[in-house]
Amino acid sequence: MKLLLLPGDGIGPEVTAESRRVVEWLNAHAGLTVTLSEARFGGAAIDADGVPLTAETLAQAQASDAVLMGAVGGPQWAGQPYDKRPEAGLLALRAGMAVFANLRPARCFAALADASTLKREYVEGLDILFVRELTGGVYFGEPRGITDLGHGERRGVNTQVYTSTEIRRVARVAFDLAKDRSGRVCSAEKSNVMESGLLWREEVQALRDAEYPHITLSHMLADNTAMQLVKNPRQFDIILTDNLFGDILSDEAAMLTGSLGLLPSAAIGAPGMPGLYEPIHGSAPDIAGQGIANPCASILSLAMALRYSLGSPHAANRVEAAVEAALDGGARTRDLGGTLSTRQMGDAILACLAP
Ligand code: IPM
Ligand code: MG
């Protein structure tokens, strides 16, 4: 199995280095046979190669079984045209790998329930899984751009667009995952004002009726979903939504769990195709290079890669259990109110991995 590491920018290289150590440990001690390679990505690639994602790196990603990304972006690349920004590399990678379904778990670790901005009684045991559409919608829709209308007036345009196929294939992922959970899926859109939202709702319902009669499907307007997430977050199991609403709502839910630094994500496409794995947190330029970032989200993203792309669900369980055991044992980086460095947190997790 081939795993490509794309450490990227900011704290990306620091946290990805800890995931690399976990893979190396599993290779040496747990019978895993994952071959690691690494490439430049994001701002680091802009500086060295002139573009955030070179054709070679994309080809390398497509030829891997899984890609583990760190983070992209930083103030030094802001203000550039969109196609010259690190984020454009991420969108091109998602599109180029055709990873249309983004799985974002928002799970509240028992040891950290008090780190949430909501009271413990609302978040303890929280376990939401977002299934966010990732390669369509307003992020990719045409036309887009800023045009000069003259007389100091300009117009900015983006297009929210979805086809039946795009909606159905991501809904299928949500329904399939729901079978192993509570069987409940809540689909969020704005069908009250957007045609694309109405199509979303109709297609999701039609697929449920035709092929997934045992799934309990509900529909919720996205603004209400945002409100319900802080009012009573534990009502949700799987939330299925589009690219933009999924971007926003998954950040909101992530914060409920106490730390963005803990949450992984997986982006998957058609069965058998490589998946893209990344921590939910960003590049955190304010603490980059200090060795204090929390590597848990990267390591948990690695666990998702082991489960969904590298054929090692057993190793995935083991890595997740080790992270949880390290947290239960009191291991804390600064974002969680502790004092451990990135490396020390990695050490604590490795120590829990060892039998
Ligand atoms: C995310 C990020 C990205 C997105 C950015 C960095 C392009 O916010 O993965 O949630 O908007 O999808
Ligand atoms: Mg986001």
Side-chain angles (χ1 to χ4, degrees):
M1 288 289 183
K2 291 192 294 249
L3 174 64
L4 173 65
L5 304 177
L6 298 177
D9 308 319
I11 60 171
E14 297 160 52
V15 297
T16 308
E18 299 309 308
S19 287
R20 170 187 276 277
R21 290 172 75 211
V22 171
V23 174
E24 286 166 351
W25 190 93
L26 292 168
N27 277 342
H29 301 106
L32 196 74
T33 50
V34 167
T35 310
L36 289 165
S37 57
E38 203 168 303
R40 279 191 294 268
F41 184 57
I46 293 179
D47 291 348
D49 312 308
V51 288
L53 175 68
T54 64
E56 295 78 48
T57 301
L58 176 58
Q60 206 179 336
Q62 289 163 335
S64 301
D65 295 291
V67 176
L68 179 65
M69 206 196 95
V72 289
Q76 60 271 55
W77 304 286
Q80 298 294 318
Y82 278 115
D83 57 340
K84 294 272 170 350
R85 289 194 199 182
E87 290 81 359
L90 178 54
L91 297 186
L93 184 65
R94 288 172 178 170
M97 293 180 70
V99 284
F100 55 79
N102 188 199
L103 316 184
R104 299 190 158 192
R107 195 156 79 83
C108 183
F109 289 82
L112 295 172
D114 291 319
S116 173
T117 44
L118 291 197
K119 294 189 194 84
R120 174 181 273 275
E121 66 221 66
Y122 289 95
V123 295
E124 197 165 22
L126 185 77
D127 185 5
I128 300 175
L129 178 63
F130 277 87
V131 179
R132 167 192 178 192
E133 200 289 327
L134 200 62
T135 53
V138 74
Y139 274 56
F140 293 92
E142 298 282 346
R144 64 182 295 160
I146 297 178
T147 47
D148 202 332
L149 303 177
H151 314 290
E153 188 78 349
R154 297 188 298 160
R155 184 176 58 188
V157 177
N158 290 92
T159 303
Q160 167 78 335
V161 52
Y162 273 110
T163 62
S164 310
T165 304
E166 287 175 313
I167 297 167
R168 284 174 168 249
R169 67 184 181 183
V170 69
R172 190 176 291 287
V173 171
F175 293 150
D176 285 338
L177 288 164
K179 287 182 197 157
D180 293 331
R181 297 172 60 103
S182 72
R184 288 183 296 121
V185 174
C186 177
S187 171
E189 30 60 13
K190 282 287 285 178
S191 58
N192 55 344
V193 286
M194 297 167 76
E195 281 77 4
S196 57
L198 181 59
L199 184 76
W200 182 281
R201 185 182 182 123
E202 290 176 356
E203 292 292 346
V204 171
Q205 185 67 52
L207 182 67
R208 141 66 182 68
D209 294 347
E211 293 181 42
Y212 295 89
H214 301 299
I215 298 293
T216 307
L217 173 66
S218 59
H219 302 275
M220 197 180 271
L221 296 176
D223 52 347
N224 186 27
T225 312
M227 191 262 277
Q228 295 293 335
L229 272 171
V230 284
K231 186 175 177 207
N232 177 17
R234 281 188 310 204
Q235 71 184 281
F236 295 108
D237 187 346
I238 290 184
I239 298 180
L240 165 66
T241 191
D242 75 15
N243 204 344
L244 182 61
F245 296 141
D247 180 45
I248 297 167
L249 295 174
S250 65
D251 261 24
E252 184 189 3
M255 199 56 232
L256 298 179
T257 68
S259 174
L260 277 169
L262 286 177
L263 298 180
S265 75
I268 57 176
M273 300 300 286
L276 170 62
Y277 299 82
E278 49 172 309
I280 271 199
H281 62 65
S283 58
D286 51 321
I287 59 162
Q290 299 178 32
I292 58 170
N294 185 346
C296 287
S298 176
I299 293 171
L300 290 169
S301 300
L302 168 68
M304 292 186 93
L306 290 166
R307 177 171 297 117
Y308 294 117
S309 293
L310 299 172
S312 309
H314 180 69
N317 292 338
R318 222 170 137 176
V319 170
E320 286 167 353
V323 171
E324 191 144 12
L327 291 170
D328 285 343
R332 299 277 188 282
T333 39
R334 295 246 201 117
D335 54 308
L336 303 175
T339 57
L340 294 191
S341 67
T342 309
R343 175 52 55 100
Q344 288 168 331
M345 190 73 187
D347 289 340
I349 293 166
L350 284 174
C352 293
L353 259 183

